[in-house]
Structures are given as C-alpha cells and as structure tokens.
Amino acid sequence: MSGKLTLSSLVISLGILAVSGCQRAHVETPKAANTVSIDYEKYTLENGLTVILHEDHSDPLVHVDVTYHVGSAREEVGKSGFAHFFEHMMFQGSKHVADEQHFKVITESGGNLNGTTNTDRTNYFETVPANQLEKVLWLESDRMGYLLEAVDQEKFENQRETVKNERAQRVDNQPYGLRFELNGEALYPEGHPYSWLTIGYVEDLDRVNVNDLKAFFKRWYGPNNAVLTIGGDIDVAKTKEWVKKYFGNIPAGPEVEEPEPELVTLPETRYMTLEDKVHLPLLQITFPTVYARHEDEAPLDVLSDILGGGKTSLFYKNLVKEGLAVQAVVSHPCRELACEFQLLALGNPAKMQSLATLEEVMADTLNEFEARGVMPDDLARTKGQIEARTVFGLQSVSGKVSALAAGETFHQTPDLIADDIARYNAVTAQDVMRVYKKYIKDANSVVLSVVPKGQPQLAAAEPTFERPVRNIPESLSDDKELANNALSDETFVSAPSSFDRSKIPNAGPAPVVTVPDFWEAKLGNGIEVLGVTSNETPTITMTIGLDGGMLLDTSEKAGTAYLTALLMNETTANYSNEALANQLAKLGSSISFSTGGRYSQIYVSTLTKHLDATLELLKEKLFNPAFTQVDFDRMKERVLQGLQQQAKTPSSIAKRARDLVLFGAENRVSLPDEGTIDTVNAITLDDIKRYYQQYYSPSKASIVVVGNLPQEAVLSNLDFLAKWQGNDYEFNEYSAFPEYQENTIYLVDSPEAVQSVVYIVDRSLPFDATGDHFKTRLMNFPLGGAFNSRINLNLREDKGITYGANSGFIGGKTLGWFEVSTDLTANNTAEGIAEILREIQLYRTEGVTEEEIQFMRNAYTLSDALEFETPTSKARFLRQMLSYDLEKGYRAEQLDIINNIDKDTIDALAKQYLNIEQMQIIVVGDKAKILPQLNALSMPIIELSVESNTREALN
C-alpha cells in the first residue's frame, strides 16, 4: 500500500481531449510526439473538488474513482484506525441511499466496487457498464455530501466489530501478520503517523465513539480534499453536466494543508524478536530512506532490484540458490512521508542454525555489491521492465484512472508517466552507488526476527528494543475539542439539494456487448489454438494448457506435477537460471510454468516487438530443461518448507480438511497440489524426468493467444510448437468418495486462534455451461453469491461476527461441490454455524423472492460489459472454452436461461442441491475455547488431523 505512483501502474495513451466549457478548466498541453502519456482533462469545481476525465471508447464501461487525501497518517495518537474505519462506514448508507444499497445498486447494475485505505489516502471506486455512470455519481456524491444524517450508533457498533474481525483475520490470526506493526513501532518516532498500522489498534477502536467518527468526516471528507476521476466510454459534455449536478452544491470542508515529509533517522540499530505461529523463521532488516518522488527514490528502487529483484539478484544467488533461504527479496516501498529499504528472507531451518546466519550473509552480500558495482545489464533490466509495464498498464481503464487519481492527489499532476519513465531511465551507476553509501552502508536499521513460538534462540540477536508503551493523551487536541464541541444536530444538516436526490437515476440504453470475435486453428500435431486479435496495445499474451496436472501424480508421490513445473522455471541445457532471467527482464517479457488442479500451464507475456526473442526463450525452457540435481534439491526443499508453513496457517489447514472430507484420503484430489511432506519426500529426480517425458506432450495441449497480430502471423510464430511430438496418456479413475448421512463437525485444533475458519461443504455437480451446475450458481446468488446475499448480510452486517461470508457451487471438469466459507470470531463460532444452516434451511423451505431473482438477473446480464476488457480476461474466456469444449454460442444460451429462469425452477434447484442434512462442517480453531459451543449444536464432533487423517470422536 503506497502513496506513490508505482511502475506497475504506469499506463500510456495518445492524444489530448478537446477543450469544452467547464468551471476553472485546465487542459494539459500535448506532450512531445515520442513521449507516452494518458490523455485527460482536469478542472475544479467552485467547492474545490478536482475532476479528471479520461476518454477511452475501447470497451463499453466506465471506471469512477473518488480519492480523499486522508489515510491513517491524518489520525491522532490514541485514535488509530479511523480512516479505515470510515472507509467501512461509507458503505453503510447515506441520507438518500439505504443501508447496503450501495453494494446492491452497483451489483445489479452489472458492476463491481470497493474501497481501500492506506496511510496516505482513502479511495472508493466502481467499474460499471457505461450506461450506469450517472447512477455511480449519484451514489458517490450522496455519501460525500449527505452521509452524516444516516450515521447512527447501531451502524457504528456493527462496523466497529467488522473492522475488528478484519484485523483478526488479516493480522492477529495470520502468520507473520504482526511484523508490520512491530516494524513501524521501531522504525518511526513515537507519534509519527506511520508508527501504527492503517487498520489500527483494537484498544483504539474500542476507545472511539460515533461523535469522533462524525468529526473525522467533517474534517477530512470535504470535496476540496478529494479528487474525482472518471475514465472510459464517456460523453465528456454529459459527464460534466452530471458532475456539476451531483457534486456542485456540496459545501467545501475545512482547508487542508499538504503534509510535509521529513526524513527519518535511527539513533542505533534496533533488534526485535516476534515469537509467532510459524515454521519458517523470517528476518527483516529495514533502513529508513527518503519519501515518494524524492530525487533519490529512483536510484534506491534500482538498487533494490539489483540486490533482491528475482533470479538475477545477489540475494537470490547468495541466499536462495545456496539453500539458506526459501525466499529472499529486497524492496523499496515508498509513501508520501517516508520510504523503507527492506531486506527480507524466509530462512530454511534445514540449512541454518539461526537467523544470525542470514544476517551475516546479507551483510556479506552488501559488501559484495559494493566491490562489484553496478553492471550494464542491471540498468538495462530496469529500463526493459519499465517499458513493458508501461505498455501493459494501458490494458485497463481502471489502471489509467488509478494512475491519474494518484498523480493528482499526491503531486497535483495527474499524468506522471513520461516523468516516471524519464527519471528511471536517467539513473546511472554512479547514482546507485551514491544512494547505497548514503542510506544503506553502515546505516542503522530495524532488525526484526520472526521465530516459531518457544524458539527465541533462532533470532538474529538478543532484542535491544522493546515495543514502546503507548502514551495516550489524557485530553484531546484543541482542534479535536473544537470539533467535538461543535457536534450538534444542526452541525450535521446537509446542504439543500437543487433536485430530488431520493430518486435513483435511470440508466441509459444498455451497451451492446458481444463475445470477442475469436479465431480457431489446429497445429499440424493436433494442438488446438484459439486467438483474439486485439489492436489496443502492442502486446501478446499466450497460455499453453496441458490437461492432467496433479491428476497424473501417483498417490504415493503426490506433488510430482507441481515440482516438475517448478523445475521447468529453472536451469536449461544452454542457460543458467540467472542468464534466462536476465534476458527476459531486458525484454520486459515473462515466461512461467505452473501446476494448479488438473492443468499444468505455461504463461507468456511480451511486447509484440520482442515476440520472436521471447519465443526462442520459451523453446529453450520447454524443450531443454536441465533438471539438475542441485535445482531439484533446492526446489524440493522449498516445497517441503512451504508445506511445513501451511501446517501453521489456519486457512491452509481448513482447505486441506475440506478436501479430505469431500473426497477421501484415497483420492489424489484430497491432497494439496504440492503434495504432502511424506509424498514429496518420496519424489526423486528420476520421477520428475519421467513425468516430463510422459506428460509434457502435445497430445492434450491447447493454446490461447491474445494480441495485436493476425491469425496467420501468430500461427507462423507457433510453428516450432507444431513440430512438438509426444505420446498420448490416460487418467486414472477416482476411488469411491465418502458418503455422509448426517451433519458432522470436523474440528482441527489451532491453539490460541482468535478466529475460527469454517467451511460447510457437500459434493455436487461438475462444471457445465448451460445445465444444472450453471443454474445452481444462479440459484445460489441471493443466498451467498453477492455482498448483499442472505448469509453475508446476516453474519457480517447484522451480527458483526465475521469480516465476510459467502457460498458457492464450484465445478471442475469432473468434480464439483457446494461450500460456505467464513472466518468467525472465536466466541461466536457455533452461533455463526447455526445461522448459516438456518439461512440455508430457510432458503430451501420458503424459496427465493421475486426481488432476489431480478437482482440476480440484472447482476448477471449487465456485467458482460466488464467481462472482456483486458487481454487476460479474453484469454480466460478462451481458456474456459477449450477446457470444457464449449460451443461458440454458449453465452447466448446462458443469457436465455438467466432471463427466463423463474421462482419455481430456482426453488426446486435449492431443494435438490442444498442437501443440508448431508453437509459436513469443518472448523479450524482453538479447541479449548470453542468445543463447549460446538457441543451445544448437538452434532457429532470428530477431531481431525489433516496430516495423518487420524480422527477422534469428541462427543
């Protein structure tokens, strides 16, 4: 989470919008012909709201972003988490928008939405079909200008519990989750706004009241502290009319001054130790540096890439390749007020005695860099990656809008694309060495060791710095006192509106959305190819799918497919790891092999001008893997250590238990893609070579290509794949699956867990595009498939016992299941399970409402405008067609089903496929805390060990 415009969000476009009448308008002057930029128009309303418009008619959608220049850095000591808390409150209705209506309106408009908060800003955004723009502006303006009349104590208390659940899920119940909090406390002086997490401390959340919240809104959420950015398929003149209508009469808030960054220094190196529920010890060393867009930011970024940016880096060579670390990275995250230079390594317990070993190797690596200096390819990689990321960023309207919004919010210059490219291209070797010596060499740092509980001896050193005792002011600041004294009913009466805001604007004519026009071909060896020719960007995205994946493993050596894919990313006959990574980075290209589920997949992305060179590297990786013993040993160790860590992670444990309960220990699908510790230990290098020879074959391969080349050119480039030869292969049949006649709770003990991870599951139908599986997804939408679904509104919004809950019918090629998943407050575990089952039973007996059917119908039919925007989304669509052998017109058949499915059909599907009496409940939580609750549910309870599949009845 960063306030700077990161390179990964860079985007380009050509041309400048024509000038049209607006208040205090400012239209950017054209850039030179050979530069890249985002075209936009910027103007400011009389109330101070900055408006940025960007036209892009390539897809019938719009993206709206409202960014407020307020994050946790604007909070007071003792009242942390306010900005994030308020992000939640902004979805709880406003004067003319009912509770939860924001989610409902956007979802049934075919759009998606969210809000995010970091230290420096809060933003709210929606992507919707182009005809829904006015509706979005109505919603956003109502919560900007008319929120406070709708804020009450009940909503406040509910969202306070939701935020606490979010913190528990993402921080307190997450391995390594507390390291960011400890690092901030040690790195920044007491009271510095970056010394606490954006989500805040629980005790601060408990301390605040609804009047504090209202005062925070009045102080920071005025239009003069906001940027409204609208991009996509817009009519500029009409958009300006709507902006003035909906936002123009909202009064400005108090004047807001820009925060002034100050360089942070440390008086000494501070060692800290965190004992956590982890298997892999972690070492993080953090140096304070500069702030976003400081002149030294770019060379520090380049330095971080040289030291720890992938396989070309020194950290990879000295830590990962030597087997001392499972993962090692260096990064330089920057925010508005400060940047941090971070060295991080996940230690391999099998190869090191303590984190002091990693600290020593890190220090030696820094010395090696100083002696080696900056090589020409170091800078070439940076420039190649910048160019590629810039062009790929053009592929989505949301990416362009986000970049414009960030540039304006933090630097009063929306389009910083050319400037960013120029400042990184200008970095010299001398610059990199200068910043290394200034900020890193012999500098003080925070050294944080995260070690398994009960093993403090693994820390890099004895702690020299303890978490500071928080000094909470006894009284509020003068400004806060004035704000609280000003609280009254009159204070929060919104400005009068010139029109009736209670009426939801009508949508315009629905945009005509068509399935991408794709071509089909077959290579000489039978490989099917689907492609889309898209001229929006000079890029190529390609995937090669190999059917089989983990299903081709033997049960005794589960994980062979996964480990084979990992090794396909390593050394080849003619290239070392480092040499291949270096070549790809200079091209700005990517080639990666992976295995997930029943598919092994090869992903390729490149600028079109580098396609030939990239495919030569693909040919090398696909046909000439070296499969060296050194690579095998390293990657096998990495998988084993990852599995050990998963055994400490509640969400991973819950998924393992779910699959074991659904499919039984005799089936490969009940085990993780990676396998288990026992099965991976059994895999040999010969097994990898054998798997490659048998199953990396064109016999069940298929290819998807999306890019700006015509079919003939693509097929010509794929000629080397047409010559690929290999044998056909078959799949083993599944063993019998478990059958269940009653509800049973499978409990996996996770001592001291503050939340319980819960799955409620039942086997169901495999995927189909127009049959009962597809219809069950429509049936489930009101139950648990949307934010406004029954289950989520009950558990999150009504009871405040979870951060989120959902249900769905999940279908693959041959298997499928129904699941409800949620993380529940530990003290409310049984209550949450009972409520989920009650909602399912109620849905079965009373059925769906006509309003819910219409909600589902709108959400499914109108969302097509968003379905095919980017090359990745087009490739996903084509991949699904190939995987399931779908007919070209299946989308039209789906649309007919959606428009005509009725209550009787949905109710019958609910009765048939929501088999509540057969559903099995998986709970990963603190047995000592939750077992008495679970006993009250009057169901059999079995304690389950996912590693050994041992089961013990507890009642």
Side-chain angles (χ1 to χ4, degrees):
M1 301 177 71
S2 171
K4 76 172 181 176
L5 176 61
T6 60
L7 289 176
S8 61
S9 68
L10 292 179
V11 288
I12 63 171
S13 186
L14 301 175
I16 300 296
L17 286 176
V19 181
S20 58
C22 60
Q23 295 171 304
R24 294 162 58 191
H26 172 63
V27 179
E28 298 304 302
T29 56
K31 306 286 193 302
N34 61 345
T35 63
V36 293
S37 64
I38 309 172
D39 57 325
Y40 71 92
E41 180 177 347
K42 181 176 88 171
Y43 64 100
T44 306
L45 299 183
E46 291 178 355
N47 58 11
L49 177 66
T50 300
V51 184
I52 301 170
L53 304 180
H54 166 71
E55 252 186 305
D56 180 347
H57 299 291
S58 58
D59 292 279
L61 57 85
V62 293
H63 185 81
V64 177
D65 179 291
V66 181
T67 296
Y68 295 89
H69 196 174
V70 55
S72 56
R74 303 279 200 180
E75 295 163 352
E76 290 187 79
V77 173
K79 295 194 173 179
S80 63
F82 240 49
H84 174 257
F85 191 174
F86 211 89
E87 176 207 316
H88 282 250
M89 292 302 298
M90 290 281 273
F91 288 100
Q92 297 307 300
S94 48
K95 184 176 181 179
H96 308 101
V97 180
D99 295 359
E100 318 310 335
Q101 191 177 9
H102 203 119
F103 279 98
K104 187 172 188 297
V105 167
I106 297 300
T107 303
E108 69 178 350
S109 296
N112 54 57
L113 73 160
N114 212 332
T116 66
T117 308
N118 63 26
T119 51
D120 306 314
R121 63 99 185 102
T122 303
N123 71 338
Y124 304 88
F125 50 91
E126 299 89 359
T127 306
V128 295
N131 66 322
Q132 305 288 338
L133 173 58
E134 185 181 6
K135 205 175 290 183
V136 174
L137 299 179
W138 168 71
L139 287 167
E140 287 292 356
S141 66
D142 208 68
R143 63 180 173 188
M144 178 185 284
Y146 301 86
L147 182 89
L148 293 181
E149 283 106 328
V151 173
D152 58 30
Q153 190 68 31
E154 182 180 356
K155 291 180 183 179
F156 175 83
E157 296 293 347
N158 175 275
Q159 290 309 305
R160 172 155 53 190
E161 293 307 308
T162 299
V163 171
K164 288 160 73 172
N165 274 306
E166 181 180 358
R167 177 181 165 109
Q169 182 174 327
R170 294 185 171 181
V171 179
D172 302 318
N173 210 42
Q174 196 66 236
Y176 312 105
L178 283 168
R179 70 182 174 91
F180 302 102
E181 189 163 83
L182 269 65
N183 189 68
E185 292 171 349
L187 188 65
Y188 297 102
E190 183 180 359
H192 190 285
Y194 289 173
S195 65
W196 57 80
L197 289 183
T198 297
I199 203 166
Y201 297 98
V202 171
E203 60 266 28
D204 288 359
L205 294 170
D206 287 335
R207 184 181 295 114
V208 297
N209 60 50
V210 70
N211 282 344
D212 293 319
L213 190 83
K214 291 179 178 180
F216 191 83
F217 177 86
K218 293 287 286 184
R219 178 68 185 90
W220 300 111
Y221 276 78
N224 51 308
N225 195 36
V227 176
L228 168 64
T229 310
I230 305 168
D233 189 14
I234 61 173
D235 178 317
V236 172
K238 176 59 72 175
T239 301
K240 288 180 177 179
E241 289 179 16
W242 286 336
V243 169
K244 182 176 180 180
K245 173 182 177 180
Y246 290 105
F247 291 90
N249 61 359
I250 299 173
E255 184 177 349
V256 177
E257 294 183 358
E258 295 294 317
E260 289 294 330
E262 294 182 12
L263 296 183
V264 174
T265 58
L266 286 171
E268 72 281 322
T269 290
R270 295 171 172 176
Y271 285 88
M272 299 183 75
T273 300
L274 169 65
E275 293 186 46
D276 202 357
K277 292 171 66 175
V278 301
H279 169 71
L280 300 176
L282 178 147
L283 181 67
Q284 177 175 302
I285 302 176
T286 306
F287 300 87
T289 58
V290 290
Y291 49 84
R293 301 198 76 79
H294 184 282
E295 61 181 5
D296 289 341
E297 180 196 17
L300 281 162
D301 284 350
V302 175
L303 172 63
S304 72
D305 188 68
I306 296 169
L307 290 175
K311 292 181 178 180
T312 59
S313 71
L314 295 174
F315 268 49
Y316 177 84
K317 176 175 74 74
N318 294 343
L319 288 162
V320 178
K321 199 164 185 181
E322 292 298 321
L324 293 170
V326 175
Q327 182 181 7
V329 295
V330 180
S331 61
H332 186 234
C334 272
R335 294 177 282 180
E336 187 173 21
L337 305 180
C339 303
E340 303 172 8
F341 199 90
Q342 295 182 349
L343 320 178
L344 187 145
L346 273 173
N348 180 357
K351 296 291 180 70
M352 44 153 272
Q353 292 186 334
S354 78
L355 291 173
T357 304
L358 297 190
E359 185 184 21
E360 183 179 348
V361 175
M362 286 181 179
D364 290 343
T365 302
L366 294 180
N367 291 332
E368 178 186 347
F369 164 73
E370 185 175 1
R372 189 204 77 161
V374 179
M375 310 298 286
D377 273 2
D378 293 336
L379 300 178
R381 285 194 303 271
T382 300
K383 294 173 183 179
Q385 291 175 66
I386 287 173
E387 180 185 10
R389 290 170 184 169
T390 300
V391 176
F392 274 94
L394 178 61
Q395 293 175 344
S396 75
V397 172
S398 64
K400 291 185 281 186
V401 166
S402 297
L404 291 170
E408 177 60 30
T409 299
F410 298 115
H411 310 292
Q412 295 73 56
T413 307
D415 179 15
L416 290 166
I417 303 305
D419 183 65
D420 266 309
I421 292 174
R423 69 190 180 106
Y424 280 92
N425 279 340
V427 172
T428 65
Q430 291 74 22
D431 291 329
V432 176
M433 296 306 300
R434 175 180 56 79
V435 297
Y436 166 74
K437 293 174 181 177
K438 183 175 181 179
Y439 300 103
I440 310 303
K441 179 180 170 62
D442 299 325
N444 292 324
S445 61
V446 173
V447 183
L448 174 63
S449 300
V450 184
V451 300
K453 285 197 171 184
Q455 301 184 53
Q457 73 277 7
L458 294 181
E462 290 288 328
T464 62
F465 183 83
E466 296 295 331
R467 296 187 71 172
V469 176
R470 301 182 65 221
N471 296 310
I472 308 301
E474 293 184 8
S475 60
L476 301 173
S477 68
D478 290 341
D479 285 346
K480 185 62 72 174
E481 287 177 351
L482 288 172
N484 277 335
N485 290 336
L487 292 175
S488 67
D489 292 339
E490 289 75 26
T491 305
F492 295 109
V493 173
S494 304
S497 179
S498 58
F499 61 96
D500 185 357
R501 284 183 171 268
S502 65
K503 295 182 179 179
I504 302 178
N506 294 322
V512 177
V513 182
T514 57
V515 171
D517 184 20
F518 61 90
W519 49 264
E520 303 174 76
K522 187 170 284 191
L523 301 184
N525 54 0
I527 298 178
E528 288 186 87
V529 185
L530 295 187
V532 170
T533 300
S534 172
N535 293 313
E536 291 181 32
T537 57
T539 60
I540 300 291
T541 298
M542 180 172 77
T543 63
I544 303 172
L546 307 177
D547 195 1
M550 72 169 187
L551 294 183
L552 301 171
D553 288 347
T554 63
S555 296
E556 297 78 17
K557 296 189 176 184
T560 304
Y562 184 86
L563 191 49
T564 303
L566 289 181
L567 283 166
M568 295 295 291
N569 292 306
E570 300 299 303
T571 310
T572 68
N574 300 300
Y575 285 87
S576 68
N577 261 328
E578 296 83 352
L580 263 172
N582 188 53
Q583 291 299 316
L584 286 168
K586 288 193 293 183
L587 296 171
S589 301
S590 175
I591 301 173
S592 63
F593 289 69
S594 63
T595 293
R598 68 174 292 144
Y599 281 92
S600 294
Q601 183 164 281
I602 307 160
Y603 173 81
V604 180
S605 69
T606 181
L607 299 177
T608 306
K609 67 180 181 180
H610 295 318
L611 178 61
D612 289 344
T614 302
L615 292 182
E616 282 298 316
L617 295 175
L618 171 63
K619 186 189 304 184
E620 174 70 17
K621 289 172 75 71
L622 179 58
F623 297 136
N624 296 310
F627 293 138
T628 68
Q629 188 69 46
V630 172
D631 283 346
F632 172 76
D633 291 342
R634 186 179 67 256
M635 301 313 291
K636 180 175 177 178
E637 185 64 37
R638 172 177 155 185
V639 172
L640 287 169
Q641 296 301 335
L643 288 169
Q644 294 270 29
Q645 182 56 51
Q646 286 181 27
K648 302 282 188 180
T649 307
S651 58
S652 298
I653 298 169
K655 288 176 183 175
R656 284 207 57 183
R658 176 200 65 189
D659 294 346
L660 196 58
V661 168
L662 280 170
F663 305 117
E666 296 75 21
N667 282 294
R668 172 65 182 93
V669 290
S670 71
L671 302 176
D673 292 339
E674 303 95 318
T676 69
I677 292 171
D678 288 342
T679 64
V680 173
N681 270 321
I683 298 171
T684 67
L685 182 56
D686 285 340
D687 294 323
I688 301 299
K689 294 176 180 178
R690 190 159 39 247
Y691 186 98
Y692 170 77
Q693 289 295 333
Q694 285 182 284
Y695 302 127
Y696 274 69
S697 160
S699 63
K700 288 182 172 58
S702 58
I703 300 174
V704 164
V705 185
V706 179
N708 67 326
L709 290 179
Q711 176 180 351
E712 297 76 15
V714 170
L715 295 177
S716 174
N717 277 286
L718 297 183
D719 184 61
F720 74 100
L721 291 174
K723 299 172 184 175
W724 185 10
Q725 297 298 312
N727 297 322
D728 200 359
Y729 51 87
E730 300 298 328
F731 299 99
N732 294 322
E733 295 292 327
Y734 296 116
S735 298
F737 297 128
E739 298 293 338
Y740 301 102
Q741 305 303 322
E742 63 177 349
N743 302 132
T744 300
I745 296 171
Y746 292 87
L747 172 61
V748 183
D749 189 19
S750 180
E752 301 180 23
V754 297
Q755 284 187 313
S756 299
V757 183
V758 173
Y759 279 92
I760 298 177
V761 299
D762 180 37
R763 277 196 315 282
S764 193
L765 298 168
F767 174 89
D768 63 57
T770 55
D772 271 7
H773 170 76
F774 176 70
K775 294 171 186 175
T776 59
R777 291 172 55 205
L778 305 182
M779 175 268 286
N780 173 72
F781 193 75
L783 175 64
F787 182 90
N788 292 75
S789 66
R790 296 184 182 192
I791 292 174
N792 190 60
L793 289 183
N794 182 338
L795 271 61
R796 171 178 162 137
E797 299 304 309
D798 294 345
K799 296 190 169 53
I801 59 176
T802 184
Y803 178 53
N806 60 78
S807 66
F809 285 86
I810 300 165
K813 201 165 186 176
T814 55
L815 297 174
W817 69 91
F818 169 78
E819 75 176 30
V820 184
S821 62
T822 186
D823 289 31
L824 295 167
T825 308
N827 291 334
N828 303 97
T829 303
E831 177 189 5
I833 293 170
E835 286 299 314
I836 292 169
L837 295 175
R838 188 180 69 82
E839 289 289 358
I840 295 172
Q841 185 60 44
L842 195 65
Y843 198 58
R844 290 184 82 243
T845 55
E846 297 187 4
V848 71
T849 67
E850 291 295 340
E851 182 183 4
E852 287 174 327
I853 294 174
Q854 192 58 48
F855 175 56
M856 174 275 296
R857 190 168 284 149
N858 290 340
Y860 268 84
T861 56
L862 297 177
S863 62
D864 273 358
L866 282 62
E867 284 293 305
F868 310 113
E869 181 190 9
T870 65
T872 300
S873 61
K874 292 180 175 74
R876 189 184 308 118
F877 165 70
L878 297 182
R879 173 58 55 197
Q880 186 178 62
M881 290 198 66
L882 279 173
S883 298
Y884 298 107
D885 194 24
L886 302 178
E887 297 293 329
K888 196 165 188 175
Y890 85 93
R891 296 282 292 197
E893 191 175 344
Q894 284 185 335
L895 187 63
D896 183 65
I897 293 170
I898 294 166
N899 284 327
N900 291 288
I901 196 167
D902 57 18
K903 175 177 169 57
D904 289 343
T905 303
I906 291 176
D907 289 350
L909 288 165
K911 286 182 172 64
Q912 182 177 359
Y913 292 109
L914 292 175
N915 299 309
I916 192 167
E917 65 281 351
Q918 296 174 198
M919 292 181 183
Q920 305 301 295
I921 297 105
I922 292 99
V923 182
V924 178
D926 186 341
K927 180 173 73 171
K929 186 181 297 183
I930 65 176
L931 184 56
Q933 301 176 46
L934 298 179
N935 279 324
L937 293 174
S938 300
M939 298 178 188
I941 301 175
I942 295 175
E943 185 170 3
L944 173 67
S945 168
V946 295
E947 289 294 336
S948 61
N949 191 31
T950 55
R951 308 177 184 214
E952 179 184 352
L954 295 179
N955 60 359

